Structure formats: C-alpha cells, structure tokens
Amino acid sequence: MTSCFNGGTGWPEPVVRVQAVSDTCGDTIPERYVKPLSERPSLSPAAADGAGGGPNIPVVDLSMPDADATSQAVAAACREWGFFQAVNHGVRPELLRRARAAWRGFFRQPAEVRERYANSPATYEGYGSRLGTAKGGPLDWGDYYFLHLLPPSLKSHDKWPSLPASLRETTEEYGEEVVQLCRRVMRLLSTGLGLEAGRLQAAFGGEGCEGACMRVNFYPRCPQPELTLGVAAHSDPGGMTMLLVDDHVRGLQVRSPDAAAGEWITVDPVPDAFIVNMGDQIQVLSNAAYKSVEHRVSVSAAGERLSMAFFYNPRSDLPIAPMPELVAPGRPALYPEMTFDEYRVFIRQRGLAGKAQLQSLQAKAAAAPADDDPAAGGSPSSS
C-alpha cells in the first residue's frame, strides 16, 4: 500500500502521510517540513523531554460553588491570555481516557484501513495530512481526522472510522458531554462581559443551532523537532476550542501576553483538564474583550503525540459582528459583519496563517466610513 494518494479529490498534489514519512525518513526530515528560521520552535531541554516548569496558562476550577467567582476567573483568563485550563469540568475522566485510546487505536490501524477515510479539501472531513490547497506549500508534521458533530444534518457515523469497534460509540458519547461543557462555559463568558448568561449563545444561533466538529491530531515521532512544527502558528477561526491533550507528551505552545514579542510558552497540562481557548468568532463578538491568541504545536523526538481539538462554532450562515452592547462612541466596532462560512473560506484556501484573517477584518473596519456601522448590519464582502 502506498503512503500517499493522488489529489483527484481536490488536492493539488499527492498527499503524503506523516506517519509514513516518520517511519522511513531516518534521521533527516524532508525539506517540505522544514520551517523558515523565524518560525522554528525554540525547544528548551525541558520542552524536548516533556518536563514541566516555567510559566503556564491560568487554571480555573469549574466546580467552585460561587458562580460569579467562576465567571470572573474565566473572563480574566480570556481577557489576558485567551486560554485557560478547565479542571473539575464535569466530563468523566474515564471517558477522556476511552476517547484517547479509541483514536490512538485508529492511527495504529494499517495504512489501507486509514486510507478508506481519506479526505478532500471540499470539507476536510475524514483522514488528512494537510491544510490549504496551495501547490508546493509548506507542510506540518502531523496527520489528523476531522469530523462533524453538530448540526445533526452534517453528522454521519458512516464517515467516522469503524475501527476500533468502540470508536463511533465513544466519540458520540464524548461529543455529547463536551457540547454540554461548551454551553456552560459560554454562559460564564457571557456573564463575564456583563451580559445576560444566554447572550453569547444567542449570538451563536442558540442551543441546537450551533456547530461542533472535532479534529483529532496525530503527531508521529520526529527525528528533528527543532526544524518543524506539528501545527504552524495560528489562531482558531471558530468560536471556542476544548482541547484534550496527550497524557504523556507535551507540545502545545501559546504566545505569552506579557513577555517580549515572539516568546512562546509550552503549556504544562493538568491531568484530565481541558485546555480552553477563544477563537476568532468570540474575539469578534466580544469586540476584542476576549482574545483569540496565536498558538502552535511542537513535536517530539522521543515519541508520538495525540490530541483532540473540539471546535464549538456559531451557526455557519449567521452574520457575526461585535455585539451592540459592547459597542459605544468611545469603543467602535472593530470588525465588519461576516458569516462563519465566509470567514473560513480563507483558512480552507490558504491554510493556517497566524492571525492574518482577523487582522485583515480589523483593517477593513478601520477603513470604513464613519457612518458605516458594521455592528448595525453592514455587510462587506468576504476575503
């Protein structure tokens, strides 16, 4: 069985599985995976061997009896960092372990089994190894599986792996519990802005109308981790991400809000925690009160790494703009109106590109005439 498939389904060139590259490249990674010097990770000895230590993102205990204190802690973390680790979140640790094990089992299936679910850039749903459709573009050191959970019209178990046998049932159970956690955090975020608890959820389209999808990332062992990245620097284009990281190997790096420009912090995960981060859509809705912060993933020479990124998004055809309650004469709307469908076209065409899309939107809003108030319903063209 070959390690690549041709782009007859939309890819501009054959797609090579990083698992196959890792198995065959020896001590040197192919040039396509080598990042420019300015983008390469700075791997301290601690980061390289998976040890902890150093600064870390905030940790918020979601079981605190004082709801106001919980909301304030979540809001403070998202205003400063755009990230926090949620502990005592209500999703059973046993389910977290089962979900990790099921997906690790998929990536350990023979290549011919995994290739049955090869994806295309039309939807990205299925087994993939690249983002963006630019021919000859840089590649990240990772494979993934992307699937939909909400709305129900997009969810299809037939598009989910049938092996291991427990995967579909476990993923369904996991998705149901994480959606409930997302809705709870949305209420905390909303009250943290001084709004009614359901206001942010309403801006997403309301419960039952939101979107939810998951990308399971598999980062094989890499002989030269100092030259490449598992995922390039980016902010998440959607609403909010619940990340379940590997229980053995670290890799997530977040831009520090306080340190010198360009400094990255390797997150030291709390066992059984979710790492929660704001996406671009919440930064837009909050008029930049909450930050969608750049992050990236380093890889390891010591072993493989698996993570599960659960993306909670607004209804895809709903116009998204700063909420009117957060716009004032001294605080104009920083972003024009755009649907999530329009917004993510940029990602699907160009792949991950830092915060370029959000910055381009902010520039459009700044250049708009003073009487063109995007929050009042302006509808500029998408990029």
Side-chain angles (χ1 to χ4, degrees):
M1 177 69 185
T2 182
S3 64
C4 67
F5 66 93
N6 200 283
T9 53
W11 297 112
E13 56 196 344
V15 177
V16 180
R17 302 306 181 194
V18 179
Q19 279 183 271
V21 177
S22 175
D23 289 342
T24 59
C25 71
D27 295 330
T28 304
I29 65 174
E31 190 66 26
R32 286 284 299 277
Y33 297 93
V34 176
K35 301 296 181 186
L37 189 61
S38 62
E39 298 176 18
R40 294 177 191 174
S42 177
L43 297 179
S44 67
D49 65 14
N56 203 8
I57 61 175
V59 177
V60 179
D61 185 348
L62 296 186
S63 70
M64 290 190 291
D66 186 336
D68 288 341
T70 307
S71 178
Q72 291 169 13
V74 167
C78 294
R79 288 177 186 274
E80 181 180 6
W81 285 84
F83 274 80
F84 67 94
Q85 295 197 62
V87 298
N88 298 320
H89 43 66
V91 181
R92 291 165 290 141
E94 171 269 335
L95 178 57
L96 305 182
R97 288 188 276 274
R98 276 198 288 125
R100 278 198 202 98
W103 281 100
R104 208 179 287 277
F106 168 75
F107 285 102
R108 289 174 176 166
Q109 295 296 315
E112 58 267 22
V113 173
R114 288 181 270 122
E115 292 298 340
R116 294 173 193 164
Y117 303 96
N119 71 352
S120 82
T123 66
Y124 282 91
E125 192 168 13
Y127 176 50
S129 300
R130 65 178 292 167
L131 294 172
T133 56
K135 188 173 182 178
L139 298 175
D140 292 336
W141 192 266
D143 301 321
Y144 64 85
Y145 203 102
F146 182 80
L147 56 86
H148 290 285
L149 293 113
L150 289 175
S153 61
L154 290 181
K155 181 172 68 175
S156 172
H157 284 184
D158 290 340
K159 296 179 181 179
W160 300 6
S162 60
L163 294 173
S166 63
L167 186 145
R168 291 178 177 176
E169 181 180 357
T170 300
T171 300
E172 182 70 32
E173 186 179 358
Y174 178 84
E176 289 174 357
E177 293 204 16
V178 178
V179 164
Q180 293 305 315
L181 174 59
C182 288
R183 290 171 176 169
R184 181 184 173 199
V185 173
M186 289 282 282
R187 293 192 291 271
L188 295 170
L189 289 167
S190 196
T191 56
L193 291 168
L195 306 175
E196 292 293 327
R199 180 64 180 93
L200 193 56
Q201 188 74 58
F204 267 42
E207 289 189 9
C209 293
E210 69 271 68
C213 50
M214 186 165 69
R215 174 176 151 146
V216 184
N217 304 293
F218 185 80
Y219 308 106
R221 186 195 69 82
C222 179
Q224 295 178 298
E226 71 281 3
L227 299 183
T228 190
L229 289 166
V231 178
H234 66 287
S235 62
D236 288 349
M240 175 172 61
T241 304
M242 292 275 174
L243 180 68
L244 180 65
V245 298
D246 197 281
D247 47 357
H248 298 296
V249 181
R250 299 190 313 154
L252 177 65
Q253 297 184 331
V254 175
R255 277 207 190 273
S256 168
D258 301 319
E263 182 166 344
W264 295 86
I265 290 174
T266 300
V267 175
D268 191 14
V270 176
D272 296 328
F274 278 103
I275 297 174
V276 185
N277 67 279
M278 301 298 96
D280 293 349
Q281 305 307 301
I282 284 185
Q283 178 164 329
V284 169
L285 286 165
S286 71
N287 208 23
Y290 293 145
K291 305 298 191 294
S292 174
V293 172
E294 273 189 286
H295 50 288
R296 65 187 186 184
V297 177
S298 64
V299 292
S300 172
E304 67 191 33
R305 179 175 178 269
L306 181 137
S307 69
M308 300 173 62
F310 191 96
F311 303 113
Y312 189 73
N313 301 322
R315 199 180 83 193
S316 64
D317 61 350
L318 193 68
I320 299 295
M323 291 184 285
E325 302 95 317
L326 303 178
V327 176
R331 180 65 171 174
L334 298 176
Y335 311 98
E337 182 181 272
M338 179 179 287
T339 69
F340 184 42
D341 273 338
E342 292 170 329
Y343 190 90
R344 60 186 170 186
V345 166
F346 177 91
I347 305 297
R348 289 180 171 175
Q349 290 177 344
R350 291 186 50 183
L352 301 174
K355 292 179 68 71
Q357 172 70 331
L358 203 58
Q359 290 165 351
S360 71
L361 282 184
Q362 192 163 352
K364 284 183 182 180
D371 60 351
D372 181 12
D373 180 4
S379 183
S381 62
S382 63
S383 59

